[in-house]
Amino acid sequence: MGKSVVQIRDIEHFHWQLSESECPLTFSSNGGGISLAAAVELSLIASHRRAHTSEPHAKIRVAKNSIWALIKESGWPLRPGCATLRDGDSTVLVLPTAHDDPWWTQRITMLLADLAANGFPSHLARGLTGAVIEMVDNIWLHSEAPHPGLLAYQIRRRKFAFSVIDVGVGMLASLRKSPSLRYLSSSMEAIGKAVEPGVSRFENGGGMGFPSLFHALTSLWGTARIRSGEAALILDHTGEERSKDSVYLPPLPGVHVSVRCALDAPSRSRQ
Amino acid sequence: MTRIAVRAVTGRDILAGKSDGMRDFPRILDVVEQTAPGETIVFDWDGIEIATASYFGATLAALLRMAMSGELDRYFIVTNLNRTCLDELKLVLEYQGLVMLLGDSKGGHIRKVQVLGTLESPYAATLEAVQKLVSASATELHHGQHGGAVIGKTGWINRLSNLHRLRLIRKERVGREYKFHALS
């Protein structure tokens, strides 16, 4: 792996190895950094392993990295109550359990101001903040998670990355609660359905969160990855043409939505 | 015409997600129901930084559906939305097949009303004709053949009735026929 930054694909590969192994495995970043999405997913894999003691343990070594250190320090997902942890351009929020928390409102206002201060025009800063709120709201509406969700983000000049993650029932189980969506039989199908406009387990409307997210990203360069259960959907807009890809993965609880976007084309803005 | 300041009713400047929408819907409905039946409500979004499609879906779109089903006799115009809010409102209206009027609110008066959402061209032309005349009956439109279309009186009745169903024009019985009025 050298000293390059560990990306989400590396974590997916490690997760496959771990799921097929009968003995404890070690993950090492080999002194290199780790991307936000990779760090968040790795933390979920680790906590999932810890919760299932019958499965082989994963030993994780990540070189000094702010986002990884913040996630570890947060104690998520077992930490009760909300928390803000910041280090430089990285922020980790252990989310409240209800949407109507004044603490949350203050954090949103902070995020909006940070985006504007880092070169995002006001309409894009608002759109991205709205998209983050939509993803977090999905946790409160659908996850049924026994533990709070987590929002992690990094803001650099004209660049923004965020991850929203929970340890709830996942998209398949949530959508299947709707009689009209009971036919869904795989995580892959569920993710594909969930991102469609107007699709929700609620009969009386809803399902506009992902359209809002995609709309916010329309004029930006970047990628969005939606991972739930045993699958992930990756939307890539780092080139002139948009592309969509999906992968099967070992099972994980909940949903992990990660986005990395920039105002400038990747050749000038590679993180 | 009654103006409702969304910022004052909700007490917030960030309105995002279905959860916020479900929280605020009863408050907004309560304020709307305090106005007289048949009233035009102008929702003023001045001071709202963020409002997302899910929020609009749980509030404005829900009110509009109530009005379209006859459950709530009111008409709606929105004004003073910033660019982000406007995009999000358009998103939900498009997906739900709804239409709503957006008004320019300069000087406290509503002017330059335009349609948000998709309205097929014959209906858009009929709406434009009513707005130009301020009020009109199917007979008047038939005789004038407004909007460049040559259709029978029944055609005009159908178009006007549908625009009224969409809550884009109001309807008043005058003698043996209905008169349709522009909202602004």
Side-chain angles (χ1 to χ4, degrees):
Chain A
M1 219 176 284
K3 286 220 175 185
S4 59
V5 174
V6 175
Q7 300 292 344
I8 193 74
R9 292 279 179 186
D10 303 316
I11 302 303
E12 289 174 353
H13 181 67
F14 169 68
H15 198 187
W16 272 121
Q17 284 182 315
L18 190 62
S19 69
E20 288 162 358
S21 171
E22 288 176 0
C23 54
L25 272 186
T26 300
F27 174 85
S28 172
S29 67
N30 289 337
I34 186 165
S35 77
L36 177 82
V40 170
E41 187 131 325
L42 188 59
S43 74
L44 180 59
I45 294 167
S47 75
H48 185 54
R49 283 279 149 170
R50 278 195 297 274
H52 295 81
T53 46
S54 59
E55 292 179 27
H57 190 65
K59 196 168 186 178
I60 294 164
R61 287 196 200 111
V62 176
K64 199 171 172 343
N65 172 276
S66 63
I67 200 75
W68 178 252
L70 291 176
I71 294 169
K72 280 193 80 175
E73 194 188 333
S74 76
W76 182 83
L78 298 176
R79 182 193 187 110
C82 41
T84 310
L85 297 97
R86 289 191 89 151
D87 182 9
D89 57 17
S90 303
T91 303
V92 167
L93 303 179
V94 180
L95 298 165
T97 48
H99 77 102
D100 222 1
D101 192 311
W103 177 91
W104 173 233
T105 312
Q106 288 166 7
R107 296 306 168 289
I108 295 164
T109 308
M110 231 164 68
L111 170 61
L112 181 61
D114 283 352
L115 285 167
N118 278 280
F120 284 83
S122 60
H123 71 281
L124 289 177
R126 289 182 188 128
L128 287 169
T129 306
V132 169
I133 301 170
E134 288 284 353
M135 295 303 103
V136 169
D137 198 36
N138 281 341
I139 299 179
W140 293 319
L141 287 170
H142 307 297
S143 79
E144 299 172 44
H147 302 294
L150 184 95
L151 163 64
Y153 62 84
Q154 285 178 318
I155 307 178
R156 292 172 188 161
R157 190 80 196 146
R158 298 169 67 82
K159 295 174 194 167
F160 178 48
F162 73 87
S163 269
V164 174
I165 194 163
D166 69 75
V167 290
V169 297
M171 283 179 170
L172 179 62
S174 177
L175 287 179
R176 277 177 54 88
K177 290 204 167 96
S178 163
S180 61
L181 297 169
R182 208 157 282 158
Y183 68 90
L184 293 171
S185 60
S186 71
S187 305
M188 188 71 85
E189 271 186 302
I191 298 171
K193 199 72 195 165
V195 299
E196 285 178 17
V199 173
S200 168
R201 73 185 169 97
F202 296 117
E203 295 296 304
N204 60 340
M208 294 306 295
F210 284 108
S212 277
L213 170 67
F214 301 148
H215 183 75
L217 299 174
T218 305
S219 57
L220 297 168
W221 303 85
T223 55
R225 177 178 178 272
I226 299 143
R227 198 255 205 255
S228 183
E230 297 171 69
L233 174 71
I234 301 107
L235 303 160
D236 191 331
H237 189 201
T238 50
E240 287 302 328
E241 298 294 319
R242 283 156 205 259
S243 67
K244 197 152 92 169
D245 195 12
S246 44
V247 286
Y248 286 98
L249 295 165
L252 264 188
V255 178
H256 177 199
V257 177
S258 56
V259 169
R260 191 178 68 174
C261 60
L263 288 165
D264 307 302
S267 55
R268 285 163 51 202
S269 68
R270 201 158 196 93
Q271 288 189 28
Chain B
M1 197 172 278
T2 303
R3 187 179 288 254
I4 293 177
V6 178
R7 178 78 176 80
V9 173
T10 60
R12 291 155 201 267
D13 60 359
I14 295 178
L15 306 168
K18 191 182 168 84
S19 298
D20 277 7
M22 290 192 296
R23 176 199 62 209
D24 291 344
F25 179 71
R27 293 179 203 173
I28 296 171
L29 180 61
D30 187 47
V31 178
V32 168
E33 283 182 330
Q34 285 172 32
T35 63
E39 181 74 324
T40 299
I41 312 287
V42 178
F43 282 110
D44 190 336
W45 294 80
D46 186 36
I48 301 295
E49 278 281 319
I50 299 172
T52 63
S54 296
Y55 184 86
F56 285 122
T59 53
L60 275 194
L63 284 176
L64 191 54
R65 278 195 300 269
M66 282 175 75
M68 286 170 65
S69 69
E71 212 181 320
L72 181 71
D73 181 18
R74 303 291 189 284
Y75 301 86
F76 306 109
I77 296 176
V78 289
T79 191
N80 286 329
L81 292 125
N82 67 34
R83 183 174 159 188
T84 317
C85 295
L86 186 59
D87 283 350
E88 292 285 315
L89 177 58
K90 281 180 186 167
L91 206 58
V92 75
L93 293 175
E94 295 281 346
Y95 286 127
Q96 296 196 8
L98 299 171
V99 280
M100 195 169 243
L101 294 177
L102 168 72
D104 186 349
S105 187
K106 274 182 190 144
H109 298 286
I110 294 297
R111 59 186 87 183
K112 283 192 206 161
V113 172
Q114 57 170 299
V115 177
L116 299 177
T118 306
L119 191 63
E120 287 176 31
S121 56
Y123 293 103
T126 307
L127 177 64
E128 204 182 312
V130 175
Q131 286 173 337
K132 209 167 168 181
L133 297 168
V134 183
S135 70
S137 66
T139 307
E140 287 164 346
L141 291 178
H142 178 57
H143 289 152
Q145 288 300 348
H146 289 270
V150 182
I151 57 168
K153 189 178 164 186
T154 310
W156 286 109
I157 291 172
N158 290 340
R159 287 185 187 183
L160 289 165
S161 299
N162 203 31
L163 287 173
H164 174 255
R165 187 187 64 80
L166 294 167
R167 311 305 283 182
L168 296 176
I169 53 175
R170 62 176 68 249
K171 185 166 92 170
E172 180 196 12
R173 190 170 191 103
V174 179
R176 287 167 60 88
E177 68 173 359
Y178 285 104
K179 195 100 173 169
F180 295 85
H181 308 279
L183 294 191
S184 60

